[in-house]
Amino acid sequence: RSNAARNRLKFEHRLVLVNWMLDLFGAATFEDLAKHIREPEYEGFTEEGISRFHQCLRLVVNRPELPHDILLAYDENIVRHWKKITEKRNADGKNLYPKYFQYLCLLFTEIYLDQYFRDPDKLLTDINTYAEQFNMAQTPQQHAQGQLLATGLPEDICIKPYAVEDLHKLAFWSATGSGKTLIMHINILQYRHYLELHGREKELNRTILLTPNDGLSRQHRDEFILSGMDAELFDKDAGGLFKGQIIQILDVHKLRETTGEKTVAIDAFEGNNLVLVDEGHRGTSGTEVGLWLDMRNRLCEKGFSFEYSATFGQAMKASGNKQLAHEYAKCILFDYSYKFFYGDGYGKDYRILNLEDDSNEEYRQRYLIACLLTFYQQQKVFHNKRADFRPFLIGNPLWIFVGGSVTKAPSKKDISDVVDILLFLAQFVKNRTESISYLDMLLSGQSGLHAKGQELFAGAFAYLGQLGLSAEEIFVDTLKILFNAEVPAALHVRQIKANGEAEGELSLHIGEDNEPFGLINVGDPSGLRKLCESHPEEIAVSESEFTGSLFRR
């Protein structure tokens, strides 16, 4: 079995349930199925309350496993659930309909849950039969005489037979922005529907949503309210722990073996639970793997779980854990990862600009100022052409720095990534003459920054050239537009303390009294604050006791 064959077997090519479901529709790939319903005119419902996607599928799908009457029943469930969660969302005159990929995701779930509740033994047999065929059909290799031989998956990544407990877990690989939250809400309704249909609704003890942090927990609570679903943040001191139909939202880090001041023992949740896991890829690398997976598996040991992530593939690659990759290859039911999202025109265009040598401190400063100038240009375009952008719902541009470390110093530098960026921002504002000089170089196309022999930012600032602004005028304008300041001043970093509602947040200000221009959201705000305090000449550090969460606003 050649290395070339192994290299072709990317994680996304090993998703058994995805391929089993496509096979039920007679499709070899997701694109083969999607091409029949992806056009925008197929969105929406008929006067009879039937989705137009269903009408399209009736014309192309005529499989014994999926007769028209069964597909119609699934469609009626999807439409009913969709109308429930969008009733409030449509109150202001909107008409939200599922996109084709959302519909397929929900349809796959309907098919799976119907078979899971109706005849789990047959479901297990059918999936294992398909998995055996799937293993043998995946890796054709080139024979010495030029013939293709179907040799099957290499043994170390071969899909092992499913056990009964493997059927209790589904995962959805959906790109950020593709509507995972709405899918999650309907998945809850779908699961409850089939429980009730089979007279098993009393078996469900609790519905629990696990999130990576309190900020996301609050966002989810607000979204459930919009969907007309009862949900609340976890409170271990509240009476009737997780009873009834209320969805309990819990930061997964609060799960422990024993109950503490801010934690709850995992054994407090024994029973038949429906568990939903947001950012399902979290905890799949490093020392967290065993702890996270054990906690999650114990919560739904007698129940069922849905997991959601935009980056399952990247997480599996980063973890290097073959057993973990095998588990997720067996339970991912729907794959609408970024390549499909981008192919449908929803993703963002991008440029990757790497410095040939980032050890030169002056080059790094020029590079970051060039990035700042790019962001400033986006802001000018947005504000000057706002009326043109309004029909496209374009939002105010955002500049995001993603650091690899909050308090630990990377190997090549003696400060953390986050502090490094803070010092850059402070120095840009403070060192007016130097910053204007660099801006002038960039505007003239002579930054001295190269990659593969080419000027890195050649032609990047054409719009600013049209405006005819000088480097000094741009510097003054960046203070107003990017930093909410009229004149240069010190960078202030304030740790926000608002009764736990802004945990992990620090606001950024130029000058003591100006409005914040930026936000840091980290897991160790106190540790970062201490690092900032070690640079008193560049950064002023304080705390705010009464400001609410900036992230939520």
Side-chain angles (χ1 to χ4, degrees), residues 40 42-45 51 53 78-79 82-83 86 95-104 106 182-183 186:
Y42 300 146
E43 295 175 11
F45 308 141
S51 78
F53 294 136
I78 293 171
V79 171
W82 184 270
K83 288 182 176 180
T86 58
N95 283 305
L96 293 177
Y97 296 112
K99 299 293 183 183
Y100 83 89
F101 48 88
Q102 294 169 334
Y103 182 84
L104 287 179
L106 296 172
L182 299 180
I183 295 297
I186 292 182

PDB file of all heavy atoms in Angstrom, residues 40 42-45 51 53 78-79 82-83 86 95-104 106 182-183 186:
ATOM      1  N   PRO A  40     -31.243  29.605  -6.237  1.00  0.00           N
ATOM      2  CA  PRO A  40     -32.027  30.404  -5.276  1.00  0.00           C
ATOM      3  C   PRO A  40     -33.531  30.359  -5.505  1.00  0.00           C
ATOM      4  O   PRO A  40     -34.308  30.461  -4.555  1.00  0.00           O
ATOM      5  CB  PRO A  40     -31.487  31.829  -5.483  1.00  0.00           C
ATOM      6  CG  PRO A  40     -30.119  31.641  -6.041  1.00  0.00           C
ATOM      7  CD  PRO A  40     -30.181  30.404  -6.879  1.00  0.00           C
ATOM      8  N   TYR A  42     -35.336  27.964  -5.969  1.00  0.00           N
ATOM      9  CA  TYR A  42     -35.935  26.794  -5.344  1.00  0.00           C
ATOM     10  C   TYR A  42     -36.149  26.977  -3.843  1.00  0.00           C
ATOM     11  O   TYR A  42     -36.707  26.087  -3.187  1.00  0.00           O
ATOM     12  CB  TYR A  42     -35.071  25.554  -5.580  1.00  0.00           C
ATOM     13  CG  TYR A  42     -34.882  25.208  -7.036  1.00  0.00           C
ATOM     14  CD1 TYR A  42     -33.688  24.650  -7.493  1.00  0.00           C
ATOM     15  CD2 TYR A  42     -35.899  25.432  -7.964  1.00  0.00           C
ATOM     16  CE1 TYR A  42     -33.509  24.330  -8.837  1.00  0.00           C
ATOM     17  CE2 TYR A  42     -35.722  25.118  -9.299  1.00  0.00           C
ATOM     18  CZ  TYR A  42     -34.523  24.574  -9.735  1.00  0.00           C
ATOM     19  OH  TYR A  42     -34.351  24.259 -11.058  1.00  0.00           O
ATOM     20  N   GLU A  43     -35.716  28.096  -3.281  1.00  0.00           N
ATOM     21  CA  GLU A  43     -35.916  28.346  -1.863  1.00  0.00           C
ATOM     22  C   GLU A  43     -37.380  28.716  -1.597  1.00  0.00           C
ATOM     23  O   GLU A  43     -38.058  29.265  -2.453  1.00  0.00           O
ATOM     24  CB  GLU A  43     -34.995  29.472  -1.384  1.00  0.00           C
ATOM     25  CG  GLU A  43     -33.507  29.142  -1.467  1.00  0.00           C
ATOM     26  CD  GLU A  43     -32.627  30.324  -1.093  1.00  0.00           C
ATOM     27  OE1 GLU A  43     -33.143  31.328  -0.571  1.00  0.00           O
ATOM     28  OE2 GLU A  43     -31.402  30.250  -1.335  1.00  0.00           O
ATOM     29  N   GLY A  44     -37.842  28.446  -0.390  1.00  0.00           N
ATOM     30  CA  GLY A  44     -39.182  28.852   0.001  1.00  0.00           C
ATOM     31  C   GLY A  44     -40.164  27.695   0.040  1.00  0.00           C
ATOM     32  O   GLY A  44     -39.845  26.554  -0.300  1.00  0.00           O
ATOM     33  N   PHE A  45     -41.393  28.026   0.449  1.00  0.00           N
ATOM     34  CA  PHE A  45     -42.446  27.031   0.618  1.00  0.00           C
ATOM     35  C   PHE A  45     -43.616  27.358  -0.304  1.00  0.00           C
ATOM     36  O   PHE A  45     -43.885  28.517  -0.619  1.00  0.00           O
ATOM     37  CB  PHE A  45     -42.948  27.001   2.066  1.00  0.00           C
ATOM     38  CG  PHE A  45     -41.847  26.865   3.091  1.00  0.00           C
ATOM     39  CD1 PHE A  45     -41.910  27.568   4.291  1.00  0.00           C
ATOM     40  CD2 PHE A  45     -40.753  26.035   2.852  1.00  0.00           C
ATOM     41  CE1 PHE A  45     -40.899  27.454   5.229  1.00  0.00           C
ATOM     42  CE2 PHE A  45     -39.735  25.900   3.789  1.00  0.00           C
ATOM     43  CZ  PHE A  45     -39.809  26.615   4.980  1.00  0.00           C
ATOM     44  N   SER A  51     -41.909  22.448   0.903  1.00  0.00           N
ATOM     45  CA  SER A  51     -40.723  23.161   0.423  1.00  0.00           C
ATOM     46  C   SER A  51     -40.511  22.881  -1.063  1.00  0.00           C
ATOM     47  O   SER A  51     -40.803  21.783  -1.555  1.00  0.00           O
ATOM     48  CB  SER A  51     -39.483  22.738   1.208  1.00  0.00           C
ATOM     49  OG  SER A  51     -39.001  21.489   0.757  1.00  0.00           O
ATOM     50  N   PHE A  53     -37.674  22.648  -2.384  1.00  0.00           N
ATOM     51  CA  PHE A  53     -36.581  21.680  -2.481  1.00  0.00           C
ATOM     52  C   PHE A  53     -37.145  20.263  -2.607  1.00  0.00           C
ATOM     53  O   PHE A  53     -36.640  19.450  -3.374  1.00  0.00           O
ATOM     54  CB  PHE A  53     -35.682  21.753  -1.243  1.00  0.00           C
ATOM     55  CG  PHE A  53     -34.936  23.049  -1.103  1.00  0.00           C
ATOM     56  CD1 PHE A  53     -34.849  23.679   0.128  1.00  0.00           C
ATOM     57  CD2 PHE A  53     -34.306  23.645  -2.182  1.00  0.00           C
ATOM     58  CE1 PHE A  53     -34.152  24.868   0.282  1.00  0.00           C
ATOM     59  CE2 PHE A  53     -33.609  24.832  -2.053  1.00  0.00           C
ATOM     60  CZ  PHE A  53     -33.533  25.449  -0.819  1.00  0.00           C
ATOM     61  N   ILE A  78     -39.694  19.185   8.605  1.00  0.00           N
ATOM     62  CA  ILE A  78     -38.705  20.257   8.467  1.00  0.00           C
ATOM     63  C   ILE A  78     -39.390  21.615   8.368  1.00  0.00           C
ATOM     64  O   ILE A  78     -38.988  22.582   9.037  1.00  0.00           O
ATOM     65  CB  ILE A  78     -37.811  20.001   7.232  1.00  0.00           C
ATOM     66  CG1 ILE A  78     -36.941  18.761   7.453  1.00  0.00           C
ATOM     67  CG2 ILE A  78     -36.932  21.221   6.938  1.00  0.00           C
ATOM     68  CD1 ILE A  78     -36.189  18.306   6.220  1.00  0.00           C
ATOM     69  N   VAL A  79     -40.414  21.703   7.548  1.00  0.00           N
ATOM     70  CA  VAL A  79     -41.121  22.981   7.372  1.00  0.00           C
ATOM     71  C   VAL A  79     -41.755  23.414   8.693  1.00  0.00           C
ATOM     72  O   VAL A  79     -41.692  24.596   9.069  1.00  0.00           O
ATOM     73  CB  VAL A  79     -42.184  22.855   6.264  1.00  0.00           C
ATOM     74  CG1 VAL A  79     -43.060  24.107   6.228  1.00  0.00           C
ATOM     75  CG2 VAL A  79     -41.514  22.640   4.903  1.00  0.00           C
ATOM     76  N   TRP A  82     -39.035  24.593  11.021  1.00  0.00           N
ATOM     77  CA  TRP A  82     -38.455  25.848  10.540  1.00  0.00           C
ATOM     78  C   TRP A  82     -39.372  27.028  10.859  1.00  0.00           C
ATOM     79  O   TRP A  82     -38.911  28.081  11.301  1.00  0.00           O
ATOM     80  CB  TRP A  82     -38.186  25.768   9.037  1.00  0.00           C
ATOM     81  CG  TRP A  82     -37.498  26.997   8.513  1.00  0.00           C
ATOM     82  CD1 TRP A  82     -38.086  28.128   8.028  1.00  0.00           C
ATOM     83  CD2 TRP A  82     -36.088  27.221   8.471  1.00  0.00           C
ATOM     84  NE1 TRP A  82     -37.134  29.051   7.672  1.00  0.00           N
ATOM     85  CE2 TRP A  82     -35.898  28.532   7.931  1.00  0.00           C
ATOM     86  CE3 TRP A  82     -34.978  26.472   8.815  1.00  0.00           C
ATOM     87  CZ2 TRP A  82     -34.621  29.071   7.739  1.00  0.00           C
ATOM     88  CZ3 TRP A  82     -33.707  27.007   8.625  1.00  0.00           C
ATOM     89  CH2 TRP A  82     -33.540  28.298   8.101  1.00  0.00           C
ATOM     90  N   LYS A  83     -40.649  26.838  10.631  1.00  0.00           N
ATOM     91  CA  LYS A  83     -41.603  27.922  10.910  1.00  0.00           C
ATOM     92  C   LYS A  83     -41.623  28.265  12.397  1.00  0.00           C
ATOM     93  O   LYS A  83     -41.780  29.438  12.764  1.00  0.00           O
ATOM     94  CB  LYS A  83     -43.002  27.535  10.428  1.00  0.00           C
ATOM     95  CG  LYS A  83     -43.141  27.549   8.906  1.00  0.00           C
ATOM     96  CD  LYS A  83     -44.562  27.210   8.478  1.00  0.00           C
ATOM     97  CE  LYS A  83     -44.726  27.325   6.967  1.00  0.00           C
ATOM     98  NZ  LYS A  83     -46.108  26.992   6.532  1.00  0.00           N
ATOM     99  N   THR A  86     -38.483  30.401  13.319  1.00  0.00           N
ATOM    100  CA  THR A  86     -38.356  31.677  12.614  1.00  0.00           C
ATOM    101  C   THR A  86     -39.543  32.609  12.827  1.00  0.00           C
ATOM    102  O   THR A  86     -39.580  33.703  12.261  1.00  0.00           O
ATOM    103  CB  THR A  86     -38.160  31.462  11.102  1.00  0.00           C
ATOM    104  OG1 THR A  86     -39.269  30.712  10.584  1.00  0.00           O
ATOM    105  CG2 THR A  86     -36.865  30.722  10.814  1.00  0.00           C
ATOM    106  N   ASN A  95     -38.661  37.142   5.591  1.00  0.00           N
ATOM    107  CA  ASN A  95     -39.105  35.808   5.219  1.00  0.00           C
ATOM    108  C   ASN A  95     -37.867  34.926   5.126  1.00  0.00           C
ATOM    109  O   ASN A  95     -37.226  34.827   4.078  1.00  0.00           O
ATOM    110  CB  ASN A  95     -39.846  35.821   3.877  1.00  0.00           C
ATOM    111  CG  ASN A  95     -41.259  36.338   4.023  1.00  0.00           C
ATOM    112  OD1 ASN A  95     -42.033  35.834   4.820  1.00  0.00           O
ATOM    113  ND2 ASN A  95     -41.595  37.365   3.259  1.00  0.00           N
ATOM    114  N   LEU A  96     -37.507  34.312   6.251  1.00  0.00           N
ATOM    115  CA  LEU A  96     -36.334  33.459   6.285  1.00  0.00           C
ATOM    116  C   LEU A  96     -36.705  32.055   5.849  1.00  0.00           C
ATOM    117  O   LEU A  96     -37.598  31.427   6.414  1.00  0.00           O
ATOM    118  CB  LEU A  96     -35.746  33.429   7.708  1.00  0.00           C
ATOM    119  CG  LEU A  96     -35.153  34.737   8.233  1.00  0.00           C
ATOM    120  CD1 LEU A  96     -34.699  34.543   9.672  1.00  0.00           C
ATOM    121  CD2 LEU A  96     -33.999  35.199   7.369  1.00  0.00           C
ATOM    122  N   TYR A  97     -36.029  31.575   4.826  1.00  0.00           N
ATOM    123  CA  TYR A  97     -36.221  30.212   4.356  1.00  0.00           C
ATOM    124  C   TYR A  97     -34.886  29.473   4.423  1.00  0.00           C
ATOM    125  O   TYR A  97     -33.818  30.084   4.335  1.00  0.00           O
ATOM    126  CB  TYR A  97     -36.724  30.198   2.908  1.00  0.00           C
ATOM    127  CG  TYR A  97     -38.083  30.826   2.722  1.00  0.00           C
ATOM    128  CD1 TYR A  97     -38.237  32.015   2.015  1.00  0.00           C
ATOM    129  CD2 TYR A  97     -39.219  30.209   3.246  1.00  0.00           C
ATOM    130  CE1 TYR A  97     -39.482  32.587   1.843  1.00  0.00           C
ATOM    131  CE2 TYR A  97     -40.472  30.774   3.072  1.00  0.00           C
ATOM    132  CZ  TYR A  97     -40.592  31.964   2.371  1.00  0.00           C
ATOM    133  OH  TYR A  97     -41.841  32.529   2.203  1.00  0.00           O
ATOM    134  N   PRO A  98     -34.930  28.165   4.561  1.00  0.00           N
ATOM    135  CA  PRO A  98     -33.665  27.426   4.582  1.00  0.00           C
ATOM    136  C   PRO A  98     -32.952  27.495   3.241  1.00  0.00           C
ATOM    137  O   PRO A  98     -33.596  27.476   2.186  1.00  0.00           O
ATOM    138  CB  PRO A  98     -34.090  25.988   4.917  1.00  0.00           C
ATOM    139  CG  PRO A  98     -35.535  25.918   4.563  1.00  0.00           C
ATOM    140  CD  PRO A  98     -36.093  27.292   4.761  1.00  0.00           C
ATOM    141  N   LYS A  99     -31.631  27.580   3.306  1.00  0.00           N
ATOM    142  CA  LYS A  99     -30.818  27.424   2.107  1.00  0.00           C
ATOM    143  C   LYS A  99     -30.767  25.939   1.751  1.00  0.00           C
ATOM    144  O   LYS A  99     -31.055  25.080   2.585  1.00  0.00           O
ATOM    145  CB  LYS A  99     -29.406  27.959   2.336  1.00  0.00           C
ATOM    146  CG  LYS A  99     -29.360  29.438   2.683  1.00  0.00           C
ATOM    147  CD  LYS A  99     -29.801  30.290   1.514  1.00  0.00           C
ATOM    148  CE  LYS A  99     -29.681  31.781   1.823  1.00  0.00           C
ATOM    149  NZ  LYS A  99     -30.184  32.616   0.716  1.00  0.00           N
ATOM    150  N   TYR A 100     -30.339  25.632   0.543  1.00  0.00           N
ATOM    151  CA  TYR A 100     -30.390  24.239   0.106  1.00  0.00           C
ATOM    152  C   TYR A 100     -29.533  23.341   1.002  1.00  0.00           C
ATOM    153  O   TYR A 100     -29.906  22.202   1.309  1.00  0.00           O
ATOM    154  CB  TYR A 100     -29.943  24.115  -1.366  1.00  0.00           C
ATOM    155  CG  TYR A 100     -28.454  24.046  -1.570  1.00  0.00           C
ATOM    156  CD1 TYR A 100     -27.782  22.822  -1.552  1.00  0.00           C
ATOM    157  CD2 TYR A 100     -27.696  25.200  -1.762  1.00  0.00           C
ATOM    158  CE1 TYR A 100     -26.415  22.749  -1.731  1.00  0.00           C
ATOM    159  CE2 TYR A 100     -26.340  25.139  -1.930  1.00  0.00           C
ATOM    160  CZ  TYR A 100     -25.693  23.917  -1.912  1.00  0.00           C
ATOM    161  OH  TYR A 100     -24.331  23.861  -2.074  1.00  0.00           O
ATOM    162  N   PHE A 101     -28.363  23.848   1.448  1.00  0.00           N
ATOM    163  CA  PHE A 101     -27.485  23.014   2.265  1.00  0.00           C
ATOM    164  C   PHE A 101     -28.065  22.826   3.663  1.00  0.00           C
ATOM    165  O   PHE A 101     -27.871  21.767   4.286  1.00  0.00           O
ATOM    166  CB  PHE A 101     -26.071  23.607   2.333  1.00  0.00           C
ATOM    167  CG  PHE A 101     -26.012  25.068   2.662  1.00  0.00           C
ATOM    168  CD1 PHE A 101     -25.978  25.496   3.977  1.00  0.00           C
ATOM    169  CD2 PHE A 101     -25.976  26.023   1.645  1.00  0.00           C
ATOM    170  CE1 PHE A 101     -25.917  26.849   4.282  1.00  0.00           C
ATOM    171  CE2 PHE A 101     -25.911  27.367   1.947  1.00  0.00           C
ATOM    172  CZ  PHE A 101     -25.892  27.785   3.273  1.00  0.00           C
ATOM    173  N   GLN A 102     -28.789  23.819   4.169  1.00  0.00           N
ATOM    174  CA  GLN A 102     -29.454  23.653   5.457  1.00  0.00           C
ATOM    175  C   GLN A 102     -30.577  22.615   5.339  1.00  0.00           C
ATOM    176  O   GLN A 102     -30.768  21.781   6.236  1.00  0.00           O
ATOM    177  CB  GLN A 102     -30.010  24.996   5.927  1.00  0.00           C
ATOM    178  CG  GLN A 102     -28.926  26.026   6.240  1.00  0.00           C
ATOM    179  CD  GLN A 102     -29.486  27.417   6.434  1.00  0.00           C
ATOM    180  OE1 GLN A 102     -30.546  27.760   5.899  1.00  0.00           O
ATOM    181  NE2 GLN A 102     -28.767  28.250   7.188  1.00  0.00           N
ATOM    182  N   TYR A 103     -31.295  22.675   4.245  1.00  0.00           N
ATOM    183  CA  TYR A 103     -32.379  21.716   4.031  1.00  0.00           C
ATOM    184  C   TYR A 103     -31.832  20.292   3.946  1.00  0.00           C
ATOM    185  O   TYR A 103     -32.381  19.365   4.566  1.00  0.00           O
ATOM    186  CB  TYR A 103     -33.147  22.061   2.757  1.00  0.00           C
ATOM    187  CG  TYR A 103     -34.324  21.141   2.501  1.00  0.00           C
ATOM    188  CD1 TYR A 103     -35.549  21.374   3.114  1.00  0.00           C
ATOM    189  CD2 TYR A 103     -34.200  20.027   1.671  1.00  0.00           C
ATOM    190  CE1 TYR A 103     -36.633  20.524   2.901  1.00  0.00           C
ATOM    191  CE2 TYR A 103     -35.267  19.174   1.449  1.00  0.00           C
ATOM    192  CZ  TYR A 103     -36.479  19.429   2.069  1.00  0.00           C
ATOM    193  OH  TYR A 103     -37.550  18.584   1.870  1.00  0.00           O
ATOM    194  N   LEU A 104     -30.743  20.102   3.182  1.00  0.00           N
ATOM    195  CA  LEU A 104     -30.172  18.765   3.066  1.00  0.00           C
ATOM    196  C   LEU A 104     -29.676  18.258   4.416  1.00  0.00           C
ATOM    197  O   LEU A 104     -29.836  17.080   4.746  1.00  0.00           O
ATOM    198  CB  LEU A 104     -29.026  18.767   2.049  1.00  0.00           C
ATOM    199  CG  LEU A 104     -29.427  18.889   0.579  1.00  0.00           C
ATOM    200  CD1 LEU A 104     -28.197  18.904  -0.307  1.00  0.00           C
ATOM    201  CD2 LEU A 104     -30.361  17.745   0.168  1.00  0.00           C
ATOM    202  N   LEU A 106     -30.870  19.007   7.357  1.00  0.00           N
ATOM    203  CA  LEU A 106     -32.042  18.621   8.142  1.00  0.00           C
ATOM    204  C   LEU A 106     -32.699  17.364   7.580  1.00  0.00           C
ATOM    205  O   LEU A 106     -33.210  16.528   8.330  1.00  0.00           O
ATOM    206  CB  LEU A 106     -33.039  19.777   8.178  1.00  0.00           C
ATOM    207  CG  LEU A 106     -32.539  21.048   8.876  1.00  0.00           C
ATOM    208  CD1 LEU A 106     -33.524  22.189   8.680  1.00  0.00           C
ATOM    209  CD2 LEU A 106     -32.300  20.795  10.364  1.00  0.00           C
ATOM    210  N   LEU A 182     -29.187  27.639  13.820  1.00  0.00           N
ATOM    211  CA  LEU A 182     -30.543  27.270  13.410  1.00  0.00           C
ATOM    212  C   LEU A 182     -30.672  25.758  13.242  1.00  0.00           C
ATOM    213  O   LEU A 182     -31.689  25.172  13.626  1.00  0.00           O
ATOM    214  CB  LEU A 182     -30.913  27.980  12.106  1.00  0.00           C
ATOM    215  CG  LEU A 182     -30.920  29.511  12.139  1.00  0.00           C
ATOM    216  CD1 LEU A 182     -31.303  30.060  10.767  1.00  0.00           C
ATOM    217  CD2 LEU A 182     -31.876  30.029  13.205  1.00  0.00           C
ATOM    218  N   ILE A 183     -29.645  25.145  12.681  1.00  0.00           N
ATOM    219  CA  ILE A 183     -29.655  23.692  12.524  1.00  0.00           C
ATOM    220  C   ILE A 183     -29.743  23.017  13.895  1.00  0.00           C
ATOM    221  O   ILE A 183     -30.510  22.066  14.101  1.00  0.00           O
ATOM    222  CB  ILE A 183     -28.392  23.220  11.783  1.00  0.00           C
ATOM    223  CG1 ILE A 183     -28.381  23.748  10.339  1.00  0.00           C
ATOM    224  CG2 ILE A 183     -28.283  21.704  11.800  1.00  0.00           C
ATOM    225  CD1 ILE A 183     -29.510  23.249   9.483  1.00  0.00           C
ATOM    226  N   ILE A 186     -33.282  23.167  15.343  1.00  0.00           N
ATOM    227  CA  ILE A 186     -34.196  22.232  14.695  1.00  0.00           C
ATOM    228  C   ILE A 186     -33.818  20.797  15.035  1.00  0.00           C
ATOM    229  O   ILE A 186     -34.700  19.928  15.178  1.00  0.00           O
ATOM    230  CB  ILE A 186     -34.234  22.473  13.176  1.00  0.00           C
ATOM    231  CG1 ILE A 186     -34.887  23.828  12.885  1.00  0.00           C
ATOM    232  CG2 ILE A 186     -34.998  21.349  12.462  1.00  0.00           C
ATOM    233  CD1 ILE A 186     -35.033  24.152  11.420  1.00  0.00           C
TER     234      ILE A 186
END
